[in-house]
Amino acid sequence: IAGKLTALFDRNVFKMSILGLKKKQPKTFKVKVITMDAEMEFSCEVKWKGKDLFDLVCRTVGLRETWFFGLRYTVKDTYAWLKPDKRVLDQEVPKDSPITFNFLAKFFPEKVEEELVQEITQHLFFLQVKKQILDEEIFCSPEASVLLASYAVQAKYGDFDTNFHKPGFLAQDELLPKTVSIQYQMTADMWEEKITAWYAEHRGLARDEAEMEYLKIAQDLEMYGVSYFEITQNKRDTNLLLGVDAQGLHIYSPNSKLAPNKSFPWSGIRNISYSEKEFTIKPLDKKKDVFKFYSSQLRVNKLILQLCIGNHDLFMRRRKVDSIEVQQMKAQAKEEKARKKMERQILAREKQMREEAERAKEEMERRLFQLQDEARLANEALLRSEETADLLAEKAQIAEEEAKLLAHKAAEAEQERQRLEVTAMKTKEEKRLMEQKMREAEQLAVKLVEQSERRLKEADHLKQDLTEAKDAERRAKQKLLEITKTTYPVRRIILSPPARLDFKDSDMKRLSMEIERERLEYMEKSKHLQDQLKELKSEIESLKLEEQQQQQASLYNLHSEARGYIPEPVYIHKLGLQETRSPPQSVQLNSVFIWPVYSLHHW
């Protein structure tokens, strides 16, 4: 029984503890917060105020410059900012689950370079301003759009590198407002070329530096940091636009958001108030008129007043000494920037050293390959040189033996040369004698020719005399016939001349016979002399041929003895055209004695 009571008691105690825990567990609701580069979900307690949720988001993001940002939500056709001193669920937030908020910059700095301390703050501003420019909430000229796009590319991709950033690498990025792209008849490739040209000039800029350069250009745009609201100066006037920014309040025409018609700087405003839909701006100078305008909704007036108070507070805060917190943040940011700069320099130096090492490695590898090739070629050349050396040694030995043989042959050739010189001298003497005989024979032939010509001339004279005698005889006979035909007795005179004429006729015949006989003798002598000349020329030619053959034979013997080989001569007979290796018994003119002739190149 005691054990059952104990168990029952323990069970009741356990149930009571569970019920106590359920009662102590607070009620929560889900919240979805969208930043410019992320989405976060939180589970919030019902009693949380706007400041609790905002601080949770800032701690999660790592943001310390909280005064620029806020949580914005959508209410019907407008938007509102979450109030920090009021519970979240008590405000006009959407009833969805989770409740969606946008973590955005609510107030903008006058000088981004001086006021934005943290890198995360700068990055969130960069993303928001970039989106506003691309969505055309902030007007930007085409030239400034291209320059801003180049800084955005530098912040995203780092330094330009032709090896990685090929044409078309920006095809998926939205960098220019649509109106700018449509305004000019340029293709996407042409715009990319222009952006890349600027992008290549930003080498060396880190991401935070490129984003800061982007914001420095953007803060000079007319619509930067301005919140616009539709108002009317009175219930019957045309619509106007009220602009609230870090400088003050501005009145615009509905169709022009760039140049304000009237401006109220924060330093010149004494008081701002609203009553339902009426909004009143009291200048610091009491002589100036109070400016009143009307808005369509009370919620809009509350939003305008909230923005005016926040911008005015920041305006006054900038003109005071920074708080301890801000000074610490700036000092830490300065140290952080110096550290990052040092790290970038070290990284750049290491990168440069690595690139130089890689280049040196590539050069060493190239040099190694070159040396390997040279070593391989040297080994091949060494092997070839060793083979050549062995071959040259063998050739040197053979050449030495051949040199000894050639020295012996040279001595024999010298003896043969001397013998041939003696023979040549004899041959020259014989040739000289033959030439002398030939000259004498030629002189004799010339004399005979002269005598023959003289005899021919004498024969011609004799023939002419003979012809003249025959003509005289014919005339005498003709006269005699004429006399015999006359009537005068002249017998004695007629009988005596015939005897005289017969004597002359016999003499002429005899003379003709003698001339003919002398002519025949001369012809025989001339023919005999011509035969002798022919025989003499034939002998001279044969002597010349023998001399040439002897010279060729001597040269061949010299060459053959130098090479250690003497081939047998070949004899070719002209008549039979037969070759024989045996020399002829006697050298005749109808046989040709041929010795092989070798060129000096063979030796």
Side-chain angles (χ1 to χ4, degrees):
I1 294 172
K4 289 183 179 179
L5 291 174
T6 303
L8 181 61
F9 178 76
D10 292 338
R11 187 162 54 250
N12 290 333
V13 171
F14 178 73
K15 287 182 178 179
M16 291 175 63
S17 64
I18 292 175
L19 291 174
L21 289 173
K22 286 184 178 179
K23 289 181 180 180
K24 290 181 180 179
Q25 184 177 3
K27 294 181 180 180
T28 60
F29 62 96
K30 291 184 179 180
V31 173
K32 180 180 180 181
V33 178
I34 302 174
T35 64
M36 293 306 301
D37 57 353
E39 292 184 2
M40 299 174 289
E41 289 190 2
F42 302 98
S43 181
C44 303
E45 297 181 11
V46 176
K47 63 179 182 179
W48 276 15
K49 294 182 179 181
K51 185 178 184 303
D52 299 326
L53 177 59
F54 181 74
D55 291 342
L56 176 62
V57 174
C58 290
R59 287 195 303 270
T60 305
V61 175
L63 182 68
R64 295 181 64 184
E65 296 175 277
T66 58
W67 49 85
F68 290 111
F69 295 89
L71 291 173
R72 195 176 77 173
Y73 59 91
T74 304
V75 181
K76 294 182 181 180
D77 56 347
T78 183
Y79 66 88
W81 296 93
L82 188 67
K83 297 177 181 179
D85 54 351
K86 192 174 181 180
R87 287 174 47 170
V88 175
L89 296 179
D90 292 343
Q91 303 185 42
E92 296 178 331
V93 296
K95 303 302 180 183
D96 302 332
S97 181
I99 304 173
T100 304
F101 293 96
N102 291 297
F103 186 76
L104 297 172
K106 185 178 181 181
F107 307 106
F108 287 80
E110 294 183 30
K111 296 181 180 180
V112 291
E113 191 173 11
E114 296 179 2
E115 297 183 44
L116 300 183
V117 179
Q118 278 188 295
E119 185 177 344
I120 181 63
T121 310
Q122 173 182 309
H123 182 61
L124 292 174
F125 266 100
F126 164 74
L127 294 177
Q128 183 170 339
V129 173
K130 176 185 173 185
K131 186 176 185 303
Q132 289 176 340
I133 291 175
L134 295 178
D135 293 342
E136 299 180 4
E137 295 178 9
I138 298 176
F139 173 77
C140 185
S141 63
E143 295 80 6
S145 298
V146 172
L147 182 57
L148 291 174
S150 66
Y151 281 114
V153 174
Q154 177 70 22
K156 182 177 181 180
Y157 293 101
D159 290 339
F160 177 72
D161 190 347
T162 54
N163 297 324
F164 299 100
H165 302 136
K166 303 292 183 182
F169 76 103
L170 299 177
Q172 303 301 324
D173 295 329
E174 185 181 2
L175 299 172
L176 298 173
K178 292 182 180 179
T179 54
V180 173
S181 302
I182 299 172
Q183 185 176 358
Y184 296 92
Q185 296 179 353
M186 294 175 63
T187 61
D189 294 337
M190 297 170 69
W191 283 115
E192 180 179 333
E193 184 179 355
K194 282 184 170 294
I195 294 172
T196 306
W198 283 100
Y199 166 44
E201 296 183 1
H202 303 330
R203 177 176 294 276
L205 287 179
R207 191 194 75 169
D208 57 335
E209 294 175 344
E211 291 176 351
M212 180 56 69
E213 294 297 328
Y214 188 100
L215 292 174
K216 286 165 66 177
I217 297 173
Q219 73 179 355
D220 294 332
L221 300 176
E222 289 81 357
M223 297 177 67
Y224 165 79
V226 181
S227 298
Y228 294 93
F229 301 95
E230 293 183 357
I231 60 171
T232 56
Q233 193 167 0
N234 53 60
K235 295 182 179 180
R236 290 175 296 179
D237 286 345
T238 57
N239 294 333
L240 297 174
L241 290 176
L242 173 68
V244 183
D245 63 3
Q247 303 290 335
L249 298 176
H250 310 281
I251 308 300
Y252 299 89
S253 298
N255 299 326
S256 175
K257 294 182 178 181
L258 301 178
N261 298 332
K262 193 172 186 180
S263 296
F264 299 93
W266 296 120
S267 59
I269 298 176
R270 177 166 54 92
N271 186 19
I272 298 175
S273 62
Y274 77 94
S275 174
E276 294 183 354
K277 296 182 180 180
E278 185 182 44
F279 206 95
T280 304
I281 301 175
K282 295 181 179 180
L284 188 63
D285 187 1
K286 296 182 180 180
K287 295 181 180 180
K288 292 185 178 180
D289 297 334
V290 176
F291 184 78
K292 294 183 179 181
F293 60 88
Y294 300 87
S295 63
S296 59
Q297 299 178 11
L298 177 62
R299 187 183 299 108
V300 175
N301 279 342
K302 292 181 180 180
L303 179 59
I304 293 172
L305 182 61
Q306 187 179 2
L307 291 176
C308 289
I309 294 172
N311 278 298
H312 184 267
D313 291 342
L314 288 176
F315 178 81
M316 299 303 295
R317 182 177 179 175
R318 293 186 194 103
R319 280 136 183 90
K320 295 179 181 179
V321 180
D322 293 334
S323 63
I324 301 299
E325 182 184 5
V326 174
Q327 292 178 10
Q328 291 176 353
M329 288 173 56
K330 287 185 177 181
Q332 291 175 0
K334 186 176 181 180
E335 293 176 0
E336 185 70 15
K337 286 183 179 180
R339 184 182 61 80
K340 287 187 177 181
K341 184 177 181 181
M342 182 65 67
E343 289 178 355
R344 283 197 297 268
Q345 291 177 353
I346 294 172
L347 181 62
R349 186 164 59 251
E350 290 178 352
K351 182 179 179 182
Q352 183 179 2
M353 292 173 64
R354 185 173 66 251
E355 290 176 353
E356 291 177 356
E358 289 177 355
R359 286 196 295 269
K361 181 182 177 182
E362 292 176 357
E363 179 65 21
M364 291 178 66
E365 289 178 353
R366 186 187 64 79
R367 182 61 180 166
L368 178 60
F369 291 149
Q370 184 179 358
L371 291 175
Q372 288 177 351
D373 292 338
E374 292 178 357
R376 180 178 55 80
L377 295 175
N379 289 330
E380 293 177 357
L382 180 60
L383 293 174
R384 287 196 300 270
S385 63
E386 289 177 354
E387 295 175 357
T388 306
D390 296 338
L391 182 60
L392 288 175
E394 294 177 2
K395 288 185 177 181
Q397 186 177 359
I398 296 171
E400 186 177 358
E401 294 175 357
E402 289 181 352
K404 293 179 181 179
L405 182 60
L406 287 174
H408 179 67
K409 296 293 183 182
E412 294 180 355
E414 181 64 22
Q415 294 176 1
E416 182 66 18
R417 187 186 63 78
Q418 292 176 0
R419 185 182 63 80
L420 290 174
E421 285 181 355
V422 174
T423 305
M425 291 177 63
K426 294 180 180 179
T427 304
K428 288 181 180 179
E429 184 64 22
E430 293 177 356
K431 181 179 178 182
R432 187 182 60 79
L433 294 174
M434 291 299 296
E435 289 178 352
Q436 184 177 359
K437 289 181 180 180
M438 187 175 68
R439 284 195 297 270
E440 291 176 355
E442 287 178 354
Q443 291 176 0
L444 180 59
V446 170
K447 289 180 180 179
L448 290 174
V449 169
E450 291 177 354
Q451 289 179 3
S452 175
E453 290 178 353
R454 188 172 61 255
R455 293 290 180 89
L456 286 174
K457 289 180 180 180
E458 290 178 356
D460 290 338
H461 286 300
L462 290 174
K463 284 181 180 180
Q464 186 177 2
D465 293 340
L466 180 60
T467 301
E468 291 178 356
K470 286 182 178 181
D471 290 339
E473 184 182 358
R474 183 177 52 78
R475 288 194 301 269
K477 286 180 179 181
Q478 189 175 4
K479 286 182 180 182
L480 183 59
L481 290 175
E482 291 177 358
I483 293 171
T484 55
K485 288 179 181 180
T486 57
T487 57
Y488 299 101
V490 287
R491 179 169 300 195
R492 188 176 295 178
I493 298 170
I494 297 170
L495 290 175
S496 55
R500 185 70 177 173
L501 292 171
D502 290 338
F503 175 75
K504 288 183 179 179
D505 189 16
S506 59
D507 290 338
M508 292 299 294
K509 289 180 180 179
R510 182 177 54 81
L511 183 58
S512 297
M513 290 174 64
E514 289 179 358
I515 292 171
E516 186 66 21
R517 185 174 61 255
E518 288 179 358
R519 189 180 64 80
L520 292 174
E521 289 177 357
Y522 171 74
M523 293 297 291
E524 290 178 359
K525 290 180 180 179
S526 178
K527 184 178 181 182
H528 180 66
L529 184 59
Q530 289 178 359
D531 292 339
Q532 289 180 352
L533 289 173
K534 287 180 180 180
E535 290 177 0
L536 184 60
K537 288 181 179 180
S538 299
E539 290 178 0
I540 292 170
E541 292 294 332
S542 63
L543 288 174
K544 288 182 179 180
L545 183 59
E546 288 177 0
E547 184 179 0
Q548 291 177 358
Q549 291 174 354
Q550 288 176 0
Q551 291 178 356
Q552 291 178 357
S554 62
L555 289 174
Y556 172 73
N557 289 334
L558 288 173
H559 297 164
S560 300
E561 288 174 1
R563 293 180 58 86
Y565 169 72
I566 302 176
E568 295 181 357
V570 179
Y571 301 90
I572 302 175
H573 296 279
K574 287 185 178 180
L575 296 177
L577 299 177
Q578 297 176 354
E579 295 183 5
T580 177
R581 292 293 177 180
S582 61
Q585 299 298 325
S586 61
V587 179
Q588 298 178 0
L589 292 177
N590 57 354
S591 297
V592 179
F593 182 66
I594 300 175
W595 288 88
V597 179
Y598 288 86
S599 173
L600 290 177
H601 295 288
H602 293 280
W603 186 66

